[in-house]
Amino acid sequence: MTGSSLRLRLIVGGMAAILLALTVAGGGLVHLFKRHVARTIADDLNLHLSQILAALDVNPDGSLVLTRKPGDPRFEVPLSGLYWQVGDDREQLLRSRSLWDATLPIAADAISPGEEHRHVMPGPGRDRVLAVERSVVLTVGDRKMPVRVAVAASLHGVSKASAAFTRDLAIALAILGAVLTGATILQVGLGLRPLDRLRRGVADIRAGRIVNLPTTVPSEVHPLVEEMNALIDSQEREIERSRGRAADLAHGLKTPLAALSADARRLRGQGEKHIADDIESVVAAMGRHVDRELARARVRGVAGRSASRPTPLAPLLASLIATLGRTPEGARVVFDTSLPRDFAIPMDRTDLAEVLGNLLENAARHASTRVLVSAAADEAGARVLITVEDDGVGIAPEVRDWVMARGVRLDERERGTGLGLAIVQDVLDAYGWRLSLDASSALGGLRATIESGRQAGL
């Protein structure tokens, strides 16, 4: 997958969303856990606070006293993390043994009798504590004595519990993230599968296995499939119209050219040999250009669609060989074939006949006694090779260099490699195939090879 891949973008976007969601969820869960632990500690402190208030009393001399000590033994252990403190408006102060020589820095805020305040404050040993305090009014004779009672607990345990919870939560969220990432990849794959089927359908159309895209697709993709099928049908109709216009053009030009040829013959009969030769040369050149351009127009029109009608190779070769056998060049050579059984080529029959007909004609013209046609394909059918070999003298090295040079038009070179090979190359170019010529034939002459490629949709 590349940076422009829709699949990669969706997967990366999904992973980013998962990471953000898990980060927010993890932070929220840790915060909720801390609040829950703090509430639990506060509830315990309220219980201790109620016990202290129940045991609080005042002596006749006005001194504060606890009639019984709180039951939790941590109040008796110095710096245990659990503390209590009682103070009045006359700076009397009672403290738990766990405070040792420290005091709780109770805030000097106003607090109504019966009201409860909670504070996070510094505690003994630079520890932070959560304190719960309440104010009560005791009666000593005729005097009202306000008293503030505070119970505090260290938050160190909360920090340790939060750290342990965070570690366990991180492992759980990492596992959840991996599962969600896998689910995202699976979901993206399932969601993009119709597009992948659409891509394969277009490839099948180019390879000639189907004519139109199948319409059994999800409703979201169905309009696209319908538009593409309509475009294909419209292109097919335009192709047919173009072929009709090409045929009309052929008929329209052939007649004037035939008339010019007749005029040239009459001039020759009248002794105007040079003028006749000039006219015949021009007519021949025009005829070659008309034939080539008509062939190219026809091939450009059908190359993308005619591959939907694969052509059996053996019957076509038999027909071409039979036709060539009635010509002087074909009658003097033997045509041998070596073909796989039921071998078919993803090319229009007329186009394939144009290619093989020209190659066979050239081979018969230059062969001494024998022409061999063979074909092969790999197991996946992704590469198809068709070779036409002869036992002639081959092709001159300098002419072969001209022919194989990049960008050289074949009909601009030697006579033996002229218009026929140019049309062959035009047809193969339209299908994404290629033509190669070399003198390494086992028969001793020229070997012409046509080879399919990725552009052919194979």
Side-chain angles (χ1 to χ4, degrees):
M1 292 183 290
T2 63
S4 60
S5 169
L6 181 60
R7 184 187 303 272
L8 179 61
R9 292 181 182 182
L10 291 175
I11 291 176
V12 171
M15 292 176 63
I18 290 172
L19 180 61
L20 177 62
L22 292 181
T23 301
V24 173
L29 289 174
V30 171
H31 177 69
L32 291 176
F33 176 80
K34 290 181 177 179
R35 290 188 59 185
H36 171 73
V37 173
R39 281 197 299 268
T40 302
I41 294 176
D43 291 340
D44 291 340
L45 293 178
N46 275 322
L47 178 61
H48 295 311
L49 185 63
S50 299
Q51 292 177 348
I52 293 174
L53 287 174
L56 184 61
D57 200 357
V58 181
N59 290 325
D61 59 357
S63 60
L64 295 173
V65 64
L66 286 181
T67 58
R68 62 179 180 276
K69 293 182 179 181
D72 196 314
R74 288 178 295 173
F75 286 119
E76 301 299 323
V77 179
L79 304 179
S80 65
L82 185 62
Y83 317 101
W84 63 263
Q85 180 175 292
V86 178
D88 63 2
D89 57 347
R90 292 189 300 173
E91 297 184 356
Q92 291 191 79
L93 191 63
L94 301 179
R95 297 176 299 167
S96 64
R97 181 176 175 80
S98 57
L99 278 173
W100 197 242
D101 59 350
T103 58
L104 296 176
I106 302 298
D109 55 339
I111 180 171
S112 301
E115 185 179 359
E116 179 182 301
H117 280 192
R118 295 182 182 180
H119 304 281
V120 175
M121 62 183 68
R126 297 183 179 180
D127 196 7
R128 294 190 65 80
V129 297
L130 172 64
V132 176
E133 61 173 326
R134 193 178 301 171
S135 176
V136 296
V137 177
L138 301 179
T139 302
V140 181
D142 295 333
R143 191 175 74 87
K144 303 292 185 180
M145 185 173 64
V147 178
R148 295 181 71 162
V149 181
V151 180
S154 172
L155 294 177
H156 180 68
V158 177
S159 300
K160 290 181 60 177
S162 297
F165 177 78
T166 301
R167 288 193 299 270
D168 295 341
L169 181 63
I171 296 174
L173 291 181
I175 296 174
L176 178 60
V179 173
L180 291 178
T181 299
T184 299
I185 295 174
L186 178 61
Q187 181 181 13
V188 169
L190 292 176
L192 294 181
R193 184 170 295 177
L195 296 181
D196 188 56
R197 287 200 297 267
L198 182 61
R199 179 192 60 79
R200 291 198 301 268
V202 173
D204 288 341
I205 290 176
R206 296 185 62 197
R209 290 184 283 269
I210 60 175
V211 178
N212 288 102
L213 294 173
T215 56
T216 55
V217 294
S219 58
E220 292 81 3
V221 185
H222 195 268
L224 176 60
V225 171
E226 286 187 336
E227 291 296 328
M228 293 187 67
N229 283 335
L231 179 61
I232 293 172
D233 293 338
S234 175
Q235 184 185 29
E236 182 70 16
R237 291 191 296 269
E238 184 61 31
I239 289 169
E240 293 301 326
R241 288 193 293 269
S242 299
R243 298 181 73 175
R245 289 194 296 268
D248 294 340
L249 179 60
H251 288 296
L253 292 176
K254 291 292 186 181
T255 301
L257 291 176
L260 286 175
S261 296
D263 291 341
R265 288 193 297 270
R266 285 195 298 271
L267 288 172
R268 188 181 299 278
Q270 295 173 5
E272 302 290 345
K273 184 177 181 299
H274 293 294
I275 298 177
D277 288 343
D278 291 341
I279 293 177
E280 287 177 347
S281 176
V282 172
V283 169
M286 291 179 64
R288 287 195 302 269
H289 284 295
V290 167
D291 289 340
R292 182 176 185 185
E293 291 306 319
L294 291 178
R296 293 176 67 182
R298 178 180 61 79
V299 172
R300 277 198 296 267
V302 301
R305 295 280 290 159
S306 59
S308 60
R309 298 179 289 274
T311 302
L313 185 57
L316 177 60
L317 273 178
S319 175
L320 293 174
I321 291 172
T323 301
L324 284 173
R326 294 192 290 271
T327 65
E329 292 84 0
R332 64 182 179 80
V333 299
V334 176
F335 291 93
D336 293 330
T337 59
S338 176
L339 308 175
R341 184 178 180 181
D342 300 329
F343 198 70
I345 304 299
M347 187 181 294
D348 180 74
R349 179 182 173 85
T350 305
D351 293 335
L352 186 59
E354 188 83 56
V355 171
L356 294 180
N358 278 288
L359 295 179
L360 289 172
E361 183 180 356
N362 286 335
R365 184 184 304 118
H366 296 94
S368 297
T369 59
R370 186 184 177 201
V371 174
L372 173 63
V373 182
S374 59
D378 59 12
E379 295 182 358
R383 186 167 176 261
V384 178
L385 292 175
I386 303 176
T387 59
V388 179
E389 306 175 65
D390 64 72
D391 61 350
V393 296
I395 186 171
E398 62 273 11
V399 177
R400 186 167 64 250
D401 291 340
W402 286 341
V403 169
M404 299 308 297
R406 181 179 179 88
V408 173
R409 293 169 63 92
L410 298 177
D411 56 343
E412 294 176 356
R413 300 301 176 193
E414 294 290 331
R415 180 179 177 181
T417 56
L419 183 60
L421 289 180
I423 293 178
V424 168
Q425 188 65 67
D426 290 337
V427 174
L428 295 179
D429 285 343
Y431 283 87
W433 291 38
R434 63 188 182 92
L435 170 67
S436 60
L437 303 175
D438 60 72
S440 60
S441 170
L443 301 181
L446 180 69
R447 178 170 67 180
T449 303
I450 60 175
E451 179 181 357
S452 67
R454 291 184 180 274
Q455 290 178 320
L458 297 176

